């Protein structure tokens, strides 16, 4: 039997260029080997996007992350295991998303149904309902893209929902007929925010398959389903940098030292050429920089393959501002979320997004920074307008990778040049562009190229949920509903309403209406530019301008109208050719289809809302049915859209007693699951809140009773409200609380101690879920927050309920 040598790779002198997450990961892994390691960083600090700074408010100080902030339990396996090994603690956080357009003229958020319709007028907006429908449709159709991408026996051209490898997300949305509302108010804001990339790049250039696979891996293609738990580092992400660098020799660390280029000596060793004119020779070099920076370093000595691959990687520069200016947040407080996407409509079309991503991170939510002590703590990426200088406490610049079809192809070819001529490449740009991708790439090159051994099993999160989605019964029923809406509403309008409008009678009617309402005709012509080609758009602008001038002749505003039209027109010469009749028919067909769809949507939406508003509100918005202030129970919930709790099946009167009883049958041949308990309180709540037991072990289907104890340590009566989370995230649908104290107002008198029970079980269906394999521990966490208190945090003026 052969044994692996202790040092599989001979001792080498290794240089790591770049101290971002990839460089720190490689350094940590190589610190456990016999190699002699040196670290070069062009900046005056370590960490790259890992940048924790101090926030000062009066006598209070706290640490705030301005770059890397959050991670999740599903797609950050290596980074989370690393944090456990170096004993850097994490804490649950909330990940929600909001969109605010044109300084609050249009807003929505995904935190709850109340936040989706934070502007009540949107309840009657056909555009809003069409966006919601397209979100549901996209979440299902996108699964077919992944299935087709992984199908070997059938060519992509034979699959209905297939996507060519070169097709961008913008081309996919246009081909599939998704609405502007879905594109401009949902998908573009979300992708632009996630990748910190300008909207035009996300719309026109991001590869569709790559984007869809990322959304599926991160559980973002589920309208209402369990999603992974999100975590943050309470002491700031810089704490893991400090832990790795502790004890690292100072003479091996070179800050403010930029590597300009590298060459190979005659013996094959790598020579680094520094900006100060000095050089240094190493056996191996890890370029843990951005892709375009690595390209500039190797350019002078690169091989043909290296140039062909590395020249495809680009980055965008983004400016981050740490401040407290609330003008960078949505106008409606109901829409305030963890991530707040701020945008403006294009000045030419009145729709779409300007070519700038502006995103405000609410650090009070993300890092649990209490507003009472520190005020509003915000980090805005590329603010649309400058925050009030009096509120600014820091400005930073970060580079983010751009993803184009060429960059994706280059990623696939990267192994061809890895570990050649003594050079390895690492960075988030080698995968999806996130912290886990950068950190894992650093671990990978240290492990595969230099023989480092990790204290845990390395996992590739690129396919964290597998390569091919499996459709369940719920997916098929949802698809049936989508098909029915598409067939009975959208297609029916097309056949019955739109075609007659294209006849001579319909055209004469339209001409009559335009003569009566000339301004309305202008708006329709402006609307059609959204679908027309460039030539047709120019002709429409000329025709619309002529109608506007004719309707405005003799009026005082005529000159202003002409100036507006002139400014809105392209600067290049306008062609005199008119669009073809076939093209115009397509344009008017789409215009009339949209107009009639919106009209019928208002009617049908109003009727549906009349019948469904009350049950929908009770189902989604109300946390409990009783509203009692006494310590008691509420129906069980699980994680839903945007990370919000939603009712689980069979609880609180949502199922029959027979259905519940059928689930409460212990599966005796199954392995017992370890359930642990956590408890915490907000910083401004003077309660002691602890679980009475550290853990219980239960069988699937077996009921269990656990207790928490809450003590009011103040001399005032205080009302608290508890929220909860279940980790790992995939266990949330199966963790069913029959009764609990969550979401109910709990009033504790001064000095009072109360026992709070939780009656729960793990649904036996978890045994049939492939995602649950290997899960042996489930953690139930509760956090209490203050409710109904004055500026001093004291309870007051809460009348007692009538007898």
């Amino acid at each position: 039997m052969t044994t692996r040598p202790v040092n599989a790779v001979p001792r080498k002198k290794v240089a790591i260029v770049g101290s971002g997450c990839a460089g720190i990961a490689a350094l940590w892994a190589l610190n456990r080997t016999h190699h002699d390691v040196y670290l070069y960083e062009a900046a005056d600090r370590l960490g790259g996007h890992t940048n924790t700074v101090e926030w000062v408010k009066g006598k209070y100080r706290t640490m705030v992350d301005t770059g890397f902030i959050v991670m999740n339990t599903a797609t950050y396996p290596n980074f989370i295991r690393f944090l456990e090994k170096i004993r850097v603690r994490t804490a649950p956080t909330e990940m929600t998303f909001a969109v605010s357009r044109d300084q609050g003229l249009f807003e929505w958020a995904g935190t709850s149904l109340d936040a989706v319709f934070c502007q009540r007028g949107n309840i009657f907006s056909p555009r809003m309902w069409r966006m919601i429908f397209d979100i549901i449709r996209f979440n299902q159709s996108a699964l077919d893209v992944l299935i087709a991408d992984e199908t070997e026996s059938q060519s992509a051209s034979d699959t209905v929902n297939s996507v060519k490898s070169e097709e961008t997300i913008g081309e996919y949305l246009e081909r599939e007929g998704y609405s502007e509302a879905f594109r401009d108010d949902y998908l573009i804001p979300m992708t632009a925010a996630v990748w910190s990339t300008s909207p035009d790049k996300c719309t026109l250039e991001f590869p569709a398959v790559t984007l869809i696979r990322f959304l599926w891996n991160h559980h973002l293609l589920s309208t209402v389903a369990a999603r992974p738990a999100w975590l943050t580092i309470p002491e700031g992400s810089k704490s893991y940098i400090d832990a790795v660098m502790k004890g690292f020799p100072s003479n091996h660390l070179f800050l403010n030292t930029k590597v300009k280029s590298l060459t190979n000596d005659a013996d094959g060793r790598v020579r680094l050429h520094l900006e100060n004119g000095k050089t240094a020779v190493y056996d191996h070099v890890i370029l843990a920089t951005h892709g375009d920076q690595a390209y500039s370093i190797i350019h002078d000595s690169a091989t043909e393959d290296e140039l062909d691959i590395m020249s495809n990687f680009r980055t965008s520069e983004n400016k981050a501002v740490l401040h407290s200016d609330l003008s960078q947040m949505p106008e409606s407080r109901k829409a305030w979320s963890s991530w707040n996407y701020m945008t403006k409509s294009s000045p030419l079309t009145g729709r779409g997004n300007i070519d700038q991503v502006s995103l405000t991170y609410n650090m009070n939510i993300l890092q649990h920074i209490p507003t009472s002590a520190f005020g509003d703590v915000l980090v805005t990426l590329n603010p649309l307008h400058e925050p009030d200088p009096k509120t600014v406490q820091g400005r930073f610049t970060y580079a983010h990778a751009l993803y184009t079809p060429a960059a994706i192809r280059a990623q696939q070819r990267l192994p061809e040049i890895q570990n050649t001529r003594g050079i390895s490449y690492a960075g988030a740009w080698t995968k999806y562009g996130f912290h886990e991708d950068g950190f894992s790439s650093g671990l990978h090159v240290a492990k595969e190229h230099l023989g480092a051994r990790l204290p845990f099993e390395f996992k590739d999160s690129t396919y964290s949920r597998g390569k091919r989605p499996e459709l369940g019964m719920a997916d098929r029923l949802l698809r049936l509903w989508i098909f029915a809406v598409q067939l009975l509403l959208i297609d029916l309008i097309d056949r019955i309403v739109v075609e007659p409008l294209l006849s001579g009678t319909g055209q004469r009617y339209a001409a009559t209406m335009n003569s009566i309402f000339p301004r309305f005709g202008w708006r329709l012509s402006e609307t059609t530019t959204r679908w027309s080609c460039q030539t047709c758009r120019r002709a429409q602008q000329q025709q619309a301008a002529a109608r506007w001038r004719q309707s405005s002749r003799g009026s005082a505003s005529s000159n202003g109208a002409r100036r507006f039209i002139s400014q809105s027109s392209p600067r290049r010469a306008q062609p005199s050719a008119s669009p073809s009749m076939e093209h115009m028919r397509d344009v008017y067909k789409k215009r009339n289809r949209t107009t009639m769809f919106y009209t019928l949507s208002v009617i049908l939406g109003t009727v549906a809302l009349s019948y469904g508003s009350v049950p929908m509100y009770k189902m989604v918005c109300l946390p409990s049915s009783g509203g009692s202030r006494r310590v008691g129970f509420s129906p069980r919930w699980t994680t839903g859209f945007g990370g919000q709790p939603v009712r689980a099946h069979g609880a609180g009167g949502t199922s029959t007693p027979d259905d519940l009883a059928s689930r409460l049958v212990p599966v005796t041949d199954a392995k017992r699951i370890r359930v642990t308990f956590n408890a915490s309180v907000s910083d401004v709540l003077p309660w002691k809140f602890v679980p009475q037991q550290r853990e219980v072990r239960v069988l699937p289907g077996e009921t269990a009773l656990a207790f928490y104890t809450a003590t009011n340590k103040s001399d005032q009566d205080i009302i608290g409200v508890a929220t909860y989370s279940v980790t790992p995230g995939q266990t949330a649908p199966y963790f069913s609380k029959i009764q609990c104290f969550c979401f109910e107002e709990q009033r504790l008198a001064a000095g009072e101690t109360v026992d709070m029970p939780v009656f729960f079980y793990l649904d036996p269906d978890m045994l049939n879920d492939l995602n649950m394999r290997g899960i042996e521990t489930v953690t139930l966490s509760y956090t209490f927050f203050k409710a109904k208190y004055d500026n001093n945090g004291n309870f007051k003026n809460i009348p007692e309920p009538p007898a």
Side-chain angles (χ1 to χ4, degrees):
M1 181 181 68
T2 59
T3 59
R4 181 181 177 183
V6 175
N7 298 319
V9 178
R11 176 180 171 84
K12 292 185 177 182
K13 185 180 180 183
V14 181
I16 300 174
V17 181
S19 67
C21 57
I24 293 297
L27 177 65
W28 177 72
L30 293 175
N31 277 343
R32 307 167 62 87
T33 67
H34 59 300
H35 297 304
D36 188 19
V37 185
Y38 296 76
L39 180 61
Y40 288 84
E41 172 55 53
D44 58 357
R45 65 172 182 85
L46 299 173
H49 286 203
T50 304
N51 187 15
T52 307
V53 300
E54 188 177 55
W55 174 270
V56 180
K57 178 68 181 298
K59 65 179 181 179
Y60 297 104
R61 298 172 182 268
T62 189
M63 303 305 291
V64 180
D65 284 321
T66 62
F68 167 64
I69 302 171
V70 294
M71 71 205 87
N72 68 67
T73 56
T75 56
Y76 286 69
N78 297 317
F79 186 68
I80 291 177
R81 287 184 176 88
F82 156 75
L83 294 180
E84 293 172 351
K85 290 297 179 181
I86 65 173
R87 298 183 180 179
V88 171
R89 72 184 186 96
T90 60
T93 189
E94 178 183 336
M95 275 295 294
T96 51
F97 184 70
V99 174
S100 178
R101 180 187 297 282
D102 298 327
Q103 295 181 330
L105 288 181
F106 172 79
E107 293 181 340
W108 76 276
T111 53
S112 65
L113 190 62
D114 186 40
V116 171
F117 295 103
C118 60
Q119 294 176 321
R120 294 300 186 244
N122 286 336
I123 295 177
F124 304 101
S125 168
R127 179 182 173 89
M128 189 72 179
W129 286 105
R130 179 61 190 271
M131 182 189 79
I132 294 173
F133 172 75
D134 277 346
I135 291 174
I136 300 172
R137 180 162 74 100
F138 178 81
N139 289 348
Q140 281 295 318
S141 299
L143 298 179
D144 293 335
V145 171
L146 299 182
I147 293 174
D149 188 51
E150 296 302 325
T151 301
E152 299 179 354
S153 60
Q154 189 176 25
S155 66
S157 59
D158 295 331
T159 307
V160 175
N161 288 296
S162 65
V163 170
K164 297 179 181 179
S165 59
E166 298 294 315
E167 187 170 28
T168 64
I169 188 62
E171 293 168 343
Y172 172 76
L173 295 179
E174 184 176 359
R175 175 167 64 86
E176 295 297 323
Y178 285 96
S179 65
E180 287 183 346
F182 170 78
R183 183 194 67 199
D184 295 337
D185 296 332
Y186 176 75
L187 192 63
I188 289 179
M190 182 171 63
T191 52
V194 166
W195 276 279
S196 302
T197 308
S198 57
D200 68 322
K201 298 296 182 184
C202 290
T203 305
L204 301 177
E205 298 184 18
F206 210 107
V209 174
T210 302
L211 172 63
I212 291 172
R213 184 166 295 283
F214 168 84
L215 296 176
W216 185 62
N217 279 344
H218 285 71
H219 300 257
L220 296 176
L221 292 180
S222 302
T223 307
V224 178
R227 293 184 178 179
W230 288 87
L231 305 172
T232 189
I233 301 177
E235 288 76 22
S237 56
K238 183 178 178 293
S239 57
Y240 86 78
I241 303 284
D242 296 336
V244 172
M245 299 304 296
K246 186 177 182 180
F248 187 75
S250 59
N251 62 342
H252 283 213
L253 173 62
F254 303 97
L255 292 175
N256 294 305
T257 306
K258 183 177 180 179
V259 177
K260 291 183 60 179
S261 62
L262 59 77
T263 56
N264 287 97
D265 288 351
D267 59 358
R269 301 180 73 193
V270 185
R271 182 177 295 273
L272 297 183
H273 300 264
L274 308 181
E275 194 173 39
N276 56 15
K278 296 181 180 180
T279 64
V281 179
Y282 295 91
D283 299 307
H284 195 95
V285 171
I286 299 175
L287 294 179
T289 64
H290 291 294
D292 54 352
Q293 293 174 331
Y295 174 68
S296 67
I297 292 174
I298 68 169
H299 181 270
D300 294 342
S301 62
T303 65
E304 184 176 345
D305 285 341
E306 289 173 336
L307 291 174
D308 190 38
I309 294 172
M310 295 301 296
S311 62
N312 292 289
F313 297 106
R314 298 284 186 272
T315 57
S316 63
E317 187 176 277
N318 297 280
K319 297 180 180 179
V321 182
L322 177 62
H323 65 96
S324 59
D325 186 352
L326 295 183
S327 67
Q328 304 292 336
M329 291 287 286
E331 289 289 325
S332 174
R333 290 261 178 171
K334 293 181 179 179
W336 282 22
S337 302
S338 305
W339 288 26
N340 303 272
Y341 182 86
M342 317 297 289
T343 187
K344 292 181 180 179
S345 299
S346 171
L348 294 179
T349 65
R351 294 185 180 275
N353 299 274
I354 61 172
D355 186 18
Q356 179 179 339
V357 56
S358 181
L359 185 68
T360 296
Y361 303 95
N362 190 332
M363 304 308 296
N364 299 101
I365 297 176
L366 289 168
Q367 289 194 299
H368 308 293
I369 299 175
T371 308
S372 58
F374 298 98
D376 297 291
V377 184
L378 309 174
V379 175
T380 298
L381 209 63
N382 304 322
L384 296 179
H385 62 273
E386 277 299 311
D388 184 350
K390 297 178 181 178
T391 69
V392 175
Q393 295 199 23
R395 296 178 183 272
F396 316 93
T397 300
Y398 301 109
H400 295 84
L402 293 177
Y403 287 89
T404 63
I408 299 302
R409 290 194 302 269
Q411 278 186 351
Q412 296 168 351
R413 293 188 57 197
L414 196 58
E416 298 176 17
I417 59 173
Q418 282 281 28
N419 200 22
T420 60
R421 63 189 191 104
I423 304 172
S424 297
Y425 302 91
W429 53 274
T430 63
K431 286 293 178 64
Y432 288 127
F434 294 90
H435 214 72
E436 171 72 15
D437 301 314
F439 193 83
S440 295
S441 70
L443 294 181
H444 177 77
V445 298
K447 175 175 176 287
E448 298 299 327
H449 303 168
L450 294 166
R453 294 186 180 182
L454 305 179
F456 50 78
E457 180 184 358
F458 181 88
K459 290 189 177 181
D460 184 356
S461 64
T462 307
Y463 301 104
S464 59
R465 299 185 67 187
K467 293 187 176 182
R468 182 186 176 108
E470 298 293 337
L471 302 181
M473 182 58 67
D475 295 306
R476 302 186 188 282
L477 292 176
L478 183 57
R479 287 170 178 235
L480 182 62
W481 176 82
I482 294 172
F483 175 77
V485 172
Q486 191 80 31
L487 179 66
L488 299 178
L489 183 59
I490 300 176
D491 293 345
L492 187 64
I493 292 173
D494 188 14
R495 291 193 300 269
I496 298 179
V497 180
V498 175
E499 292 298 339
L501 285 177
L502 293 176
S503 65
T505 303
Q507 292 176 358
R508 287 192 297 272
Y509 171 77
T512 302
M513 295 301 294
N514 282 335
S515 65
I516 298 174
F517 304 106
R519 293 175 184 263
F520 181 68
W522 160 255
R523 296 186 74 178
L524 285 182
S525 178
E526 181 181 319
T527 303
T528 61
T529 62
R530 297 198 304 270
W531 295 288
S532 58
C533 66
Q534 190 72 10
T535 302
C536 183
R537 183 178 301 135
R538 292 168 181 165
Q540 288 171 355
Q541 288 173 343
Q542 290 177 342
Q543 295 168 4
R547 286 198 301 272
W548 182 274
R549 284 193 295 268
Q550 183 177 3
S551 65
S552 304
R553 186 173 298 145
S555 67
S557 61
S558 178
N559 292 332
R562 293 191 184 96
R563 284 195 300 270
F564 171 77
I565 295 168
S566 175
Q567 293 170 1
S568 301
S569 302
R571 295 182 179 179
R572 290 175 293 181
Q574 305 295 325
S576 59
S578 301
S580 66
M581 182 60 68
E582 290 78 13
H583 192 83
M584 288 301 297
R585 282 178 63 88
D586 290 339
V587 169
Y588 280 104
K589 181 177 179 180
K590 291 179 179 179
R591 182 193 71 186
N592 290 323
R593 176 191 301 169
T594 302
T595 303
M596 295 307 301
F597 172 79
Y598 282 0
T599 303
L600 289 186
S601 293
V602 170
I603 300 173
L604 296 178
T606 303
V607 173
L609 187 66
S610 300
Y611 283 95
S613 59
V614 174
M616 286 176 65
Y617 176 78
K618 290 183 177 179
M619 177 181 68
V620 180
C621 296
L622 290 180
S624 63
S625 58
S628 171
R629 296 194 180 103
R630 293 176 290 109
V631 176
F633 292 116
S634 64
R636 60 191 171 94
W637 299 62
T638 185
T639 305
F641 181 70
Q644 288 298 106
V646 297
R647 294 180 189 273
H649 55 269
T654 60
S655 65
T656 63
D658 292 339
D659 177 53
L660 183 59
S662 65
R663 297 183 179 278
L664 300 183
V665 178
V667 183
T668 56
D669 58 346
K671 186 177 181 180
R672 287 189 174 271
I673 304 296
R674 177 172 170 259
V675 180
T676 62
F677 303 91
N678 284 337
S680 62
V681 296
S682 68
D683 294 340
V684 295
L685 181 63
W687 284 12
K688 179 181 179 182
F689 178 58
V690 295
Q692 293 187 13
Q693 60 288 305
R694 296 182 60 182
E695 64 179 56
V696 297
R697 296 182 181 270
V698 297
L699 294 170
E702 179 183 16
T703 59
L705 183 63
F707 286 89
Y708 285 77
T709 299
T711 302
N712 182 358
K713 299 190 294 182
S714 73
D715 57 358
Q716 300 287 335
D717 294 356
I718 297 180
I719 287 180
V721 176
T723 62
Y724 82 93
S725 63
V726 177
T727 55
Q730 60 264 42
T731 64
Y734 304 106
F735 194 100
S736 302
K737 293 190 295 300
I738 301 173
Q739 289 180 314
C740 77
F741 54 87
C742 51
F743 304 109
E744 293 244 359
E745 293 181 353
Q746 312 292 351
R747 177 179 178 178
L748 269 66
E752 182 182 9
T753 298
V754 176
D755 290 336
M756 298 182 176
V758 182
F759 192 34
F760 68 92
Y761 70 97
L762 295 174
D763 197 294
D765 287 346
M766 65 183 295
L767 299 175
N768 301 321
D769 190 339
L770 295 178
N771 292 325
M772 296 296 295
R773 290 186 177 178
I775 292 181
E776 299 178 350
T777 302
V778 177
T779 301
L780 175 64
S781 302
Y782 280 94
T783 301
F784 256 107
F785 299 90
K786 267 190 178 180
K788 292 183 174 62
Y789 52 92
D790 61 17
N791 292 334
N792 294 321
N794 299 322
F795 161 77
K796 71 171 187 177
N797 296 331
I798 303 298
E800 291 294 334

